[in-house]
Amino acid sequence: MYSFTEENYIKAIYKLQEKSGISVNTNAIAEIMQTKAASVTDMVKKLSEKKLLSYAKYKGVELTELGRKMALEMIRKHRLWETFLYDKLNFSWDEVHDIAEQLEHIKSTKLIDCLDEFLGFPENDPHGDPIPGKNGLIQRIELYKISELGIGEFGVISGVVNHSSLFLQHLEKNQLVLGKGIEIISKSDFDQSLRIKIEGGIPIMISNEVARNVLLKKSR
Amino acid sequence: MYSFTEENYIKAIYKLQEKSGISVNTNAIAEIMQTKAASVTDMVKKLSEKKLLSYAKYKGVELTELGRKMALEMIRKHRLWETFLYDKLNFSWDEVHDIAEQLEHIKSTKLIDCLDEFLGFPENDPHGDPIPGKNGLIQRIELYKISELGIGEFGVISGVVNHSSLFLQHLEKNQLVLGKGIEIISKSDFDQSLRIKIEGGIPIMISNEVARNVLLKKSR
DNA sequence: TAATATTTTTAGACTAGTCTAAAAATATTT
DNA sequence: AAATATTTTTAGACTAGTCTAAAAATATTA
């Protein structure tokens, strides 16, 4: 059984490895873990002994297959809990992260698989990020900004680029919520604003600013 | 913010205080916390400094109002999560406890209040134990053993006395699940076994052993 | 490539929570 | 009420995870 701290280190290292290539250095880990480099060295040695990552002094670390699998499990849990909070308990997009940060440490495979089923096997969390499957595979679904779609194309709102409360509240006020299907009606050559039709509603205008910050899964 | 360990101590002390009167002694705490008396002494001193309980050397401990409130919050969380697992994720009676033991430590008042609402403000958990309200009040509903009801009386299954997996599985096999309405048809003078009718089913026999371990809320 | 700057590691110490073994207080028995 | 048994506390040590300060390795610059 792994401690919360160990789990958080693995998740942090996974994220760093995702964006900045193969080997992750001590200082970078210290920064996102809000701790000191010396502490990271200690922990990294421990995780290395547990075969979760490979580590050579002064050379940075790299997750093993075991570590990678663990990181994906954490991310799966995190995103499923976020989806639960958003879909079932009506939390807003910006409230879910901190609570999911706690919930992702709950140990029970059955719990998370049942939750997955209860939520209808969602493919993306409320921020549009893909939810890894039971097998540890990420099914990456191509998401497009509204502004990238052509006239006549259809899509389902699946995420956002800008996560600010102000923006999320603006979307909600305009019925632009997760899961809604929309169709591109026309684009203005003047200010790149768009006219779109929301599923079961009348056509509305949205600014290019909005169109560049909402992500769609193409449909039809 | 309190640690998991501190929270578990407070919950344990509350439970002991419930059944065995006012002052709780060190060894009893050590036993249910699965630790040694020396460790209990240390922790109890700490909790005393935090005003969660009052403690006099060699005289045992007693929760303060603050400690009692905290214990009730823990119990509220525990029982709401158990209800969630049972009602929404279809866990069985005997599976919910261990996971709720982890979930009860999640820190978010909003989360637990939204969960309460999502579950329809349940009054009892899947074991029939009352769920403390937001205010910290326990609404105690009178529950009767099946064996205490008279012939012709009706009741809804609302809890159990014996919480063992073996017993809970036996009940499930015989359709004796939470929320089912039953009617007492007759009682045997020989072995105190009962004939009962389960809502929407045919009459069945149950042993006195079963009848003494299932709790009903009277109805009609 | 020598000097300097940066990064990483080591050494030793601290806290929370636990332990064992022994001492102190309380309870029970005779 | 003295002897014995039990319970509780103290003292000192251990582990996980953290820290600071200093040493060692690596990287950068002139």
Side-chain angles (χ1 to χ4, degrees):
Chain A
M1 199 78 352
Y2 304 107
S3 72
F4 281 25
T5 311
E6 290 171 328
E7 291 185 340
N8 285 334
Y9 267 94
I10 293 296
K11 204 178 64 161
I13 293 166
Y14 178 87
K15 282 183 177 171
L16 285 168
Q17 211 167 302
E18 279 292 86
K19 72 168 71 146
S20 58
I22 292 297
S23 178
V24 175
N25 61 325
T26 308
N27 266 357
I29 299 172
E31 191 177 342
I32 62 171
M33 287 301 295
Q34 302 265 59
T35 184
K36 297 300 155 71
S39 311
V40 173
T41 301
D42 287 348
M43 179 54 83
V44 143
K45 278 181 186 167
K46 201 174 112 188
L47 295 174
S48 170
E49 267 163 35
K50 294 193 177 186
K51 311 283 183 204
L52 289 165
L53 48 79
S54 61
Y55 162 67
K57 272 188 196 174
Y58 297 100
K59 301 295 182 195
V61 306
E62 202 174 325
L63 290 186
T64 60
E65 195 47 39
L66 183 63
R68 217 184 71 90
K69 224 177 128 185
M70 176 165 157
L72 283 169
E73 264 170 43
M74 300 302 300
I75 291 170
R76 170 171 159 79
K77 290 188 196 178
H78 184 97
R79 294 185 180 165
L80 282 172
W81 280 117
E82 280 195 342
T83 305
F84 170 72
L85 295 172
Y86 182 85
D87 282 5
K88 302 295 180 182
L89 301 193
N90 300 309
F91 276 68
S92 60
W93 287 5
D94 54 318
E95 289 173 313
V96 297
H97 181 79
D98 292 344
I99 301 177
E101 205 70 8
Q102 299 179 59
L103 285 163
E104 72 190 4
H105 295 290
I106 302 296
K107 271 121 186 141
S108 166
T109 305
K110 176 164 182 184
L111 170 60
I112 212 64
D113 291 340
C114 287
L115 186 66
D116 194 13
E117 183 183 352
F118 180 63
L119 297 170
F121 303 106
E123 287 166 343
N124 297 86
D125 75 8
H127 302 105
D129 298 314
I131 300 174
K134 205 170 168 169
N135 46 30
L137 284 178
I138 291 195
Q139 182 178 10
R140 190 154 272 295
I141 286 166
E142 212 62 61
L143 295 182
Y144 302 86
K145 297 173 181 167
I146 295 185
S147 54
E148 293 172 333
L149 261 67
I151 291 166
E153 285 199 279
F154 293 88
V156 174
I157 300 181
S158 307
V160 286
V161 180
N162 177 344
H163 287 201
S164 78
S165 296
L166 204 64
F167 180 57
L168 298 176
Q169 282 156 22
H170 173 78
L171 293 182
E172 219 136 334
K173 241 178 272 164
N174 290 281
Q175 311 291 337
L176 293 164
V177 295
L178 221 56
K180 273 277 169 72
I182 69 174
E183 178 189 354
I184 314 298
I185 306 288
S186 65
K187 295 187 178 188
S188 157
D189 285 338
F190 170 59
D191 61 0
Q192 275 62 252
S193 68
L194 287 93
R195 177 167 287 273
I196 63 172
K197 186 175 178 315
I198 303 180
E199 157 199 1
I202 56 165
I204 62 166
M205 287 286 297
I206 61 171
S207 68
N208 181 262
E209 179 69 18
V210 168
R212 276 186 290 112
N213 280 290
V214 175
L215 297 170
L216 301 176
K217 183 160 59 182
K218 281 194 192 180
S219 62
R220 279 190 268 181
Chain B
M1 200 76 354
Y2 303 107
S3 72
F4 281 24
T5 312
E6 290 171 329
E7 290 185 340
N8 285 333
Y9 268 93
I10 292 297
K11 206 179 61 161
I13 293 166
Y14 177 86
K15 283 184 177 170
L16 285 169
Q17 211 166 300
E18 280 293 86
K19 72 168 72 145
S20 59
I22 292 297
S23 178
V24 175
N25 61 328
T26 308
N27 267 356
I29 300 171
E31 190 178 340
I32 63 171
M33 287 301 295
Q34 302 265 59
T35 183
K36 297 299 155 72
S39 311
V40 173
T41 301
D42 287 347
M43 178 54 83
V44 144
K45 279 181 184 166
K46 201 174 115 188
L47 296 173
S48 170
E49 268 163 34
K50 293 194 177 184
K51 311 282 183 204
L52 290 165
L53 47 80
S54 61
Y55 161 68
K57 271 188 198 174
Y58 298 100
K59 300 296 182 195
V61 305
E62 203 174 324
L63 290 186
T64 60
E65 195 46 39
L66 183 61
R68 217 184 71 89
K69 225 178 126 186
M70 176 167 156
L72 283 169
E73 266 170 44
M74 300 302 299
I75 291 171
R76 170 171 159 77
K77 290 188 198 177
H78 183 97
R79 294 185 180 164
L80 282 171
W81 280 117
E82 281 195 342
T83 306
F84 170 71
L85 294 173
Y86 183 84
D87 281 7
K88 303 295 182 183
L89 301 193
N90 301 310
F91 276 68
S92 60
W93 284 6
D94 54 316
E95 290 174 313
V96 297
H97 181 79
D98 292 344
I99 301 177
E101 205 70 7
Q102 299 180 58
L103 285 163
E104 72 190 4
H105 296 289
I106 303 295
K107 270 120 186 141
S108 167
T109 306
K110 175 165 183 184
L111 170 60
I112 211 64
D113 291 340
C114 287
L115 186 66
D116 194 12
E117 184 184 351
F118 180 62
L119 298 171
F121 302 107
E123 286 166 343
N124 297 86
D125 76 7
H127 302 106
D129 299 315
I131 300 174
K134 205 170 165 167
N135 46 32
L137 284 178
I138 293 194
Q139 183 178 7
R140 191 155 270 300
I141 286 166
E142 211 63 59
L143 295 181
Y144 302 86
K145 297 173 181 168
I146 296 185
S147 54
E148 293 171 335
L149 262 67
I151 291 167
E153 284 199 281
F154 293 88
V156 174
I157 299 181
S158 305
V160 285
V161 180
N162 177 343
H163 286 202
S164 77
S165 295
L166 204 65
F167 180 57
L168 297 176
Q169 282 158 20
H170 173 77
L171 293 182
E172 218 137 333
K173 243 177 271 163
N174 290 281
Q175 310 291 336
L176 292 164
V177 296
L178 221 55
K180 273 276 168 73
I182 68 171
E183 178 189 354
I184 315 297
I185 306 289
S186 65
K187 295 187 180 189
S188 157
D189 285 337
F190 169 60
D191 61 0
Q192 274 62 252
S193 67
L194 287 92
R195 178 167 287 273
I196 64 172
K197 184 175 180 314
I198 302 180
E199 159 197 1
I202 57 166
I204 61 164
M205 288 286 297
I206 59 171
S207 67
N208 180 262
E209 178 68 18
V210 168
R212 277 185 290 112
N213 280 291
V214 175
L215 298 170
L216 301 175
K217 185 157 58 182
K218 281 195 192 177
S219 63
R220 278 192 267 179

